[in-house]
């Protein structure tokens, strides 16, 4: 997969993408992630890419032309139009399901806004998918773009050591993840559950599934509506409702 991030702050993005699991995945060719400087496509001799908003108001607006030319140059280079995503608080909230869908694509371009936003006309012209990472506002789209790139990349073959690394995590199967423990077995008087020390894999799996159901019911009951539940799961949840567990 190839991911191109269209941004005003390439160094900021590179500093994150060059580290840890994603950095190693880039080095080994498991994923290609490039940062493209929108300023390289401005026609202003001072490399300006923003201006005051028509109608007045605070802040500056990113101009349409540099963004449009930047994206078209990428299309020309690839010989095709990558799936364009604009990170904005006005977009649909990112979900693990959408991440799984995006991970199946070959080429994705992520547009990062900044300042007070971007000229609406370039949005109308390019028709990007608009994605939000939550109901709050940041100073720019770079951090949301990095979150999206990370969440997609880790789903690709070979990026994580095993698919189980993400298949049992929160949200992957519409359930929150079960509690996790490591050494020592007793810390500050708190003991690891006996079942995890038993070596009985079937019992461990049963405990983990039940804990995931309990945690999801307590913290995110809305997710249970989308979860794929077995008859055993449904019976267990029914017992929880009846306060028998």
């Amino acid at each position: 997969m190839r991911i191109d991030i269209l941004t005003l702050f390439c160094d900021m993005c590179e500093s994150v993408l060059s580290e840890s699991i994603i950095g190693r995945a880039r080095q080994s060719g498991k994923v290609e992630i490039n940062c493209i400087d929108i300023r390289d496509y401005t026609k202003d001799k001072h490399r300006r890419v923003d201006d005051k908003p028509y109608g007045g108001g605070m802040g500056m607006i990113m101009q349409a032309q540099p963004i449009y030319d930047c994206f078209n140059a990428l299309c020309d280079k690839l010989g095709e139009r990558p799936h364009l995503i604009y990170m904005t608080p006005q977009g649909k909230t990112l979900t693990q399901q959408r991440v799984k869908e995006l991970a199946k694509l070959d080429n994705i371009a992520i547009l990062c806004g900044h300042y007070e936003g971007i000229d609406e006309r370039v949005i109308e012209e390019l028709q990007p998918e608009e994605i939000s990472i939550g109901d709050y506002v940041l100073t720019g789209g770079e951090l949301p773009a990095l979150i999206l790139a990370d969440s997609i990349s880790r789903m690709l073959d070979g990026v994580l050591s095993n698919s189980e690394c993400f298949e049992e995590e929160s949200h992957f199967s519409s359930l929150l993840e079960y509690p996790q423990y490591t050494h020592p077995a007793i810390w500050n008087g708190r003991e690891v559950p006996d079942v995890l020390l038993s070596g009985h894999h079937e019992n461990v799996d049963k405990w983990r599934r039940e804990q995931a159901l309990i945690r999801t019911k307590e913290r995110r009951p809305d997710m249970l509506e989308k979860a794929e539940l077995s008859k055993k799961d449904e019976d267990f949840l029914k017992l929880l409702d009846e306060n028998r567990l």
Side-chain angles (χ1 to χ4, degrees):
M1 166 176 275
R2 173 177 175 138
I3 301 174
D4 290 281
I5 300 177
L6 284 53
T7 173
L8 300 178
F9 300 95
C10 290
D11 289 345
M12 173 184 175
C13 295
E14 284 289 352
S15 65
V16 174
L17 296 168
S18 299
E19 297 291 334
S20 189
I21 293 172
I22 304 304
R24 292 194 295 271
R26 292 176 74 192
Q27 290 178 355
S28 63
K30 300 291 191 308
V31 61
E32 179 181 355
I33 306 179
N34 307 293
C35 299
I36 303 174
D37 193 342
I38 297 172
R39 290 186 191 278
D40 290 343
Y41 296 89
T42 181
K43 295 178 180 178
D44 184 87
K45 64 180 181 180
H46 301 296
R47 288 173 59 82
R48 277 188 61 180
V49 295
D50 63 333
D51 212 328
K52 296 177 182 177
Y54 280 118
M58 299 295 293
M60 304 290 276
I61 306 297
M62 287 180 66
Q63 296 168 306
Q65 175 270 314
I67 295 171
Y68 184 74
D69 288 355
C70 179
F71 182 66
N72 279 337
L74 174 61
C75 294
D76 290 342
K77 180 178 180 179
L78 296 176
E80 62 179 355
R81 189 186 196 276
H83 181 68
L84 179 61
I85 297 169
Y86 173 42
M87 307 307 299
T88 168
Q90 299 184 38
K92 290 184 178 180
T93 303
L94 182 65
T95 64
Q96 187 63 38
Q97 178 57 37
R98 188 58 186 141
V99 169
K100 288 191 280 187
E101 294 165 355
L102 291 171
K104 297 176 183 178
L105 302 180
D106 293 327
N107 290 306
I108 292 174
I110 307 175
L111 171 61
C112 304
H114 212 74
Y115 311 121
E116 292 301 310
I118 68 177
D119 192 309
E120 185 69 19
R121 291 168 295 183
V122 76
I123 298 175
E124 294 171 351
E125 185 72 24
L126 296 178
Q127 293 290 303
E129 177 183 1
E130 298 186 27
I131 289 180
S132 167
I133 60 166
D135 295 336
Y136 49 90
V137 180
L138 301 174
T139 55
E142 282 71 27
L143 291 176
L146 292 170
I147 288 172
L148 181 60
D150 184 289
S151 63
I152 292 172
S153 297
R154 66 193 303 279
M155 299 287 295
L156 303 178
D157 288 343
V159 173
L160 300 182
S161 58
N162 192 299
S163 63
E164 290 182 4
C165 292
F166 57 76
E167 287 177 353
E168 294 187 2
E169 290 177 333
S170 295
H171 299 283
F172 186 87
S173 59
S174 295
L175 292 177
L176 298 181
E177 189 177 13
Y178 49 79
Q180 297 271 28
Y181 302 86
T182 187
H183 296 275
I186 302 175
W187 175 81
N188 272 12
R190 298 176 182 271
E191 299 183 12
V192 173
D194 289 339
V195 64
L196 299 180
L197 307 176
S198 68
H200 195 298
H201 297 300
E202 186 176 338
N203 287 347
V204 169
D205 290 342
K206 180 176 181 290
W207 179 88
R208 285 176 169 172
R209 183 68 178 183
E210 290 176 349
Q211 291 299 310
L213 291 167
I214 291 171
R215 183 160 286 191
T216 305
K217 184 174 177 59
E218 290 177 345
R219 303 183 183 185
R220 289 291 305 276
D222 57 297
M223 291 175 60
L224 290 173
E225 297 177 7
K226 299 178 290 183
E228 294 183 8
L229 302 177
S230 67
K231 181 65 165 56
K232 285 184 177 180
D233 293 336
E234 293 173 352
D235 290 343
F236 181 76
L237 289 170
K238 200 172 292 184
L239 289 174
L240 287 179
D241 288 334
E242 295 171 357
N243 294 318
R244 289 165 58 185
L245 287 177

